Amino acid sequence: MLVLLASIFVVHIATCIMLFVSTIANVWVVSDDIHGSVGLWKNCTIGGCDNVLSYASEDALKAVQAFMILSIIFSVISLVVFVFQLFTMEKGNRFFLSGATMLVCWLCIMVGVSIYTHHYAGGYGTSYFKSHHGYSFILTWICFCFSFIIGVLYLVLRKK
Ligand SMILES: *[C@@H]1O[C@H](CO)[C@@H](O)[C@H](O)[C@H]1NC(C)=O
């Protein structure tokens, strides 16, 4: 039981960190032919990450940014609530509040990454001849799976 809780805790922290990294790193789509990548905020080339994203003002991108930020916030809130419940909740109860918060985080990731996949993941708007998914994009899908598993486990587990 303690081992299980400890491992969920570790995976939860890892998920928060991965969400943060993938949101701020501009490596969602990477070029195969030139040295460059784009993310949610910037367009990077060998000279640095200061080119404007051609679709920076599109609502779809703003929605992805907003949902990714919300998912970070909810995953951190869920972690704080879990630690709080670990110390204050009566034995035998379920970690319902942290589970519900984590599932809200999961929903935010799902909406954000779905919009991104639909609109931008194929390299739209980039001048790349060929491109592939960057690590941010992959990390976000991993977080999508992890946040669901963590959320469900919190709902199922009882405090011993
Ligand atoms: C990124 O910058 C390059 C060079 O300025 C430009 O050709 C390309 O279209 C830009 N890509 C996006 C997605 O903004």
Side-chain angles (χ1 to χ4, degrees):
M1 179 67 189
L2 204 61
V3 175
L4 188 58
L5 281 182
S7 9
I8 297 176
F9 184 67
V10 170
V11 175
H12 194 152
I13 292 178
T15 304
C16 293
I17 295 172
M18 289 193 293
L19 274 178
F20 184 72
V21 168
S22 64
T23 303
I24 61 164
N26 292 288
V27 198
W28 287 63
V29 173
V30 181
S31 167
D32 286 336
D33 44 321
I34 57 166
H35 186 98
S37 69
V38 293
L40 301 185
W41 316 95
K42 285 180 178 153
N43 174 357
C44 306
T45 52
I46 193 130
C49 288
D50 41 19
N51 297 318
V52 257
L53 271 178
S54 56
Y55 44 77
S57 62
E58 284 183 14
D59 288 340
L61 187 74
K62 292 194 172 144
V64 179
Q65 293 169 345
F67 279 107
M68 289 310 294
I69 291 172
L70 280 177
S71 73
I72 297 173
I73 293 173
F74 281 114
S75 68
V76 172
I77 292 178
S78 171
L79 188 67
V80 172
V81 169
F82 172 68
V83 172
F84 185 73
Q85 288 187 321
L86 206 53
F87 290 107
T88 60
M89 199 169 66
E90 284 175 26
K91 287 192 192 327
N93 286 349
R94 296 177 197 275
F95 296 94
F96 184 77
L97 199 57
S98 28
T101 317
M102 201 54 181
L103 290 180
V104 175
C105 162
W106 171 71
L107 282 177
C108 291
I109 302 177
M110 178 164 72
V111 175
V113 80
S114 306
I115 299 175
Y116 193 88
T117 306
H118 180 73
H119 288 269
Y120 307 114
Y124 154 84
T126 59
S127 48
Y128 304 153
F129 178 59
K130 280 189 79 185
S131 61
H132 61 270
H133 301 314
Y135 72 82
S136 291
F137 184 74
I138 295 160
L139 278 185
T140 309
W141 278 110
I142 294 174
C143 290
F144 169 77
C145 304
F146 279 5
S147 58
F148 182 74
I149 297 168
I150 295 167
V152 169
L153 283 177
Y154 281 154
L155 292 185
V156 170
L157 283 179
R158 286 174 187 281
K159 189 176 168 186
K160 288 266 161 64

